[in-house]
């Protein structure tokens, strides 16, 4: 029974390419080769062949949410329709005046109104949807409205999210950082073995992964989270793994003549 040959070990850097890499373990003691097995390239052939270094690079990047949305609701129920409208309109005008003074742009404010009859009364409700890019300003405005308006005004907890395209930008950033890390690794390897790193021959993104930040297990209810915890929960993460093959150039050395 013939013994099975162990699998060939993986090669990290090849400095002397073989004419047939699949047969490089078939040398016999004494320098002879089995029939139909190619010998290694000569020094002249090896110089013409491409030497390669294969490296992998990984990276993980994250991005906090860049938008937040808050809803301010004002309602009133009166026996007379005009009284319900007047009550809501007065507070709505005050809210809009405060937003203007705080410098919130009109394109970031959306107002919707709902008027309906409830049994023997009239119910008027208005919702002001506010979009913020500055979270500090958002907190200042919400705190001010809570302080100045009565309990008939309800302010929803902020909802944090990402603008369209931010996830795709994060994917690209993760890939680019992974490529840079692989290039640095290959550079250090070549420096260590006295070679010069050449141009990339192949770049392949092997793996990508994305996930959201999650709150702690004991804080499963979003209403119990602080603003910072909500930002962390809405933060997105992306990871990338790349494989790159670089050309390796041999350092040219000049032999100095010896003097007798």
């Amino acid at each position: 029974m013939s013994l099975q040959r162990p699998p060939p070990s993986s090669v990290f850097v090849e400095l002397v390419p073989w004419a047939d890499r699949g047969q490089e373990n078939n040398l016999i003691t004494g320098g002879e080769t089995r029939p139909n097995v190619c010998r290694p390239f000569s020094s002249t052939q090896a110089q013409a062949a491409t030497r390669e270094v294969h490296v992998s690079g990984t990276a993980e990047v994250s991005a906090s949410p860049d938008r937040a949305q808050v809803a301010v609701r004002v309602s009133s129920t009166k026996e007379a329709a005009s009284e319900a409208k007047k009550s809501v309109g007065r507070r709505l005008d005050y809210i809009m005046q405060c937003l203007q003074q705080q410098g919130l742009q009109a394109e970031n404010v959306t107002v919707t109104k709902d008027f309906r009859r409830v049994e023997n009364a009239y119910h008027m409700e208005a919702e002001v949807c506010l979009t913020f890019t500055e979270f500090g300003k958002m907190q200042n405005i919400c705190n001010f409205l809570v302080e100045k308006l009565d309990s008939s005004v309800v302010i929803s907890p902020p909802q944090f999210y990402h603008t369209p395209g931010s996830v795709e930008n994060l994917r690209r950033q993760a890939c680019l950082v992974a490529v840079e890390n692989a290039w640095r690794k290959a550079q250090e390897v070549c420096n260590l073995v006295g070679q010069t790193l050449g141009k990339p021959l192949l770049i392949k993104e092997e793996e990508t992964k994305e996930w959201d930040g999650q709150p702690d297990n004991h804080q499963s209810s979003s209403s119990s989270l602080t603003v910072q915890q909500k930002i962390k929960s809405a933060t997105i993460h992306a990871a990338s793994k790349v494989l790159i093959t670089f050309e390796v150039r041999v350092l040219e050395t000049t032999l100095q003549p010896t003097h007798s």
Side-chain angles (χ1 to χ4, degrees), residues 59-61 171 174 205 207-211 237-241:
E60 179 182 319
V61 295
R171 292 193 194 105
E205 188 175 34
E207 181 181 346
T208 60
K209 186 168 58 174
E210 300 162 21
W211 67 97
H237 306 264
S240 176
K241 178 182 179 181

Side-chain angles (χ1 to χ4, degrees), residues 82-110:
S82 59
E83 290 297 324
K85 292 180 179 180
K86 183 178 179 180
S87 176
V88 171
R90 184 174 62 252
R91 282 170 292 171
L92 187 59
D93 291 341
Y94 181 76
I95 292 173
M96 300 303 293
Q97 183 182 357
C98 292
L99 297 177
Q100 187 176 8
Q101 291 175 351
Q102 294 290 333
L104 194 62
Q105 300 297 320
E107 59 266 24
N108 294 324
V109 180
T110 304

Side-chain angles (χ1 to χ4, degrees), residues 6-254:
S9 59
S10 59
V11 179
F12 188 64
V13 181
E14 274 188 321
L15 297 181
V16 181
W18 290 71
D20 186 350
R21 296 187 185 183
Q23 302 291 342
E24 60 183 275
N25 288 330
N26 289 338
L27 288 176
I28 302 177
T29 306
E32 298 180 358
T33 59
R34 296 176 181 176
N36 300 325
V37 175
C38 298
R39 295 176 179 273
F41 283 136
S42 65
S43 59
T44 303
Q45 290 173 316
Q47 290 179 359
T50 300
R51 295 170 172 84
E52 300 174 353
V53 56
H54 305 261
V55 295
S56 65
T58 59
E60 179 182 319
V61 295
S62 61
S64 300
D66 53 4
R67 294 290 188 277
Q69 197 170 75
V70 174
V72 182
R73 298 182 180 88
V74 183
S75 63
S76 177
T77 302
K78 302 288 185 180
E79 292 183 358
S82 59
E83 290 297 324
K85 292 180 179 180
K86 183 178 179 180
S87 176
V88 171
R90 184 174 62 252
R91 282 170 292 171
L92 187 59
D93 291 341
Y94 181 76
I95 292 173
M96 300 303 293
Q97 183 182 357
C98 292
L99 297 177
Q100 187 176 8
Q101 291 175 351
Q102 294 290 333
L104 194 62
Q105 300 297 320
E107 59 266 24
N108 294 324
V109 180
T110 304
V111 180
T112 57
K113 298 178 181 180
D114 178 51
F115 182 71
R116 63 184 181 272
R117 188 174 179 86
V118 179
E119 296 181 351
N120 296 324
Y122 294 91
H123 181 80
M124 177 72 181
E125 183 173 304
E127 181 180 82
V128 184
C129 186
L130 310 176
T131 303
F132 295 92
T133 57
E134 301 176 35
F135 300 157
K137 177 183 290 188
M138 174 195 69
Q139 290 182 287
N140 291 337
I141 292 178
C142 291
N143 293 341
F144 181 82
L145 293 177
V146 169
E147 179 184 356
K148 296 299 181 180
L149 298 173
D150 57 33
S151 58
S152 63
V153 176
V154 178
I155 301 178
S156 69
Q159 301 294 323
F160 297 94
Y161 64 97
H162 296 264
T163 52
S166 59
V167 176
E168 182 60 33
N169 291 336
L170 195 66
R171 292 193 194 105
R172 286 197 296 267
Q173 183 182 357
C175 181
L176 292 177
V177 175
V179 170
E180 182 179 2
N181 291 340
W183 176 83
R184 293 183 186 277
K185 183 191 295 185
Q187 186 76 51
E188 292 174 1
V189 168
C190 287
N191 291 341
L192 183 64
V193 297
Q195 306 297 310
T196 301
L197 185 65
K199 62 184 179 180
L201 303 177
L202 175 67
I203 301 177
K204 180 182 179 182
E205 188 175 34
E206 262 209 337
E207 181 181 346
T208 60
K209 186 168 58 174
E210 300 162 21
W211 67 97
D212 296 331
Q214 296 294 332
D216 298 334
N217 293 332
H218 65 280
Q219 294 175 327
S220 57
S221 176
S222 60
S223 60
S224 64
L225 299 179
T226 65
V227 171
Q228 291 301 322
Q229 289 170 335
K230 289 182 178 181
I231 293 175
K232 182 178 179 181
S233 178
T235 297
I236 55 176
H237 306 264
S240 176
K241 178 182 179 181
V242 299
L243 292 179
I244 306 183
T245 299
F246 289 96
E247 179 185 12
V248 176
R249 298 197 302 266
V250 179
L251 289 175
E252 298 291 339
T253 56
T254 303

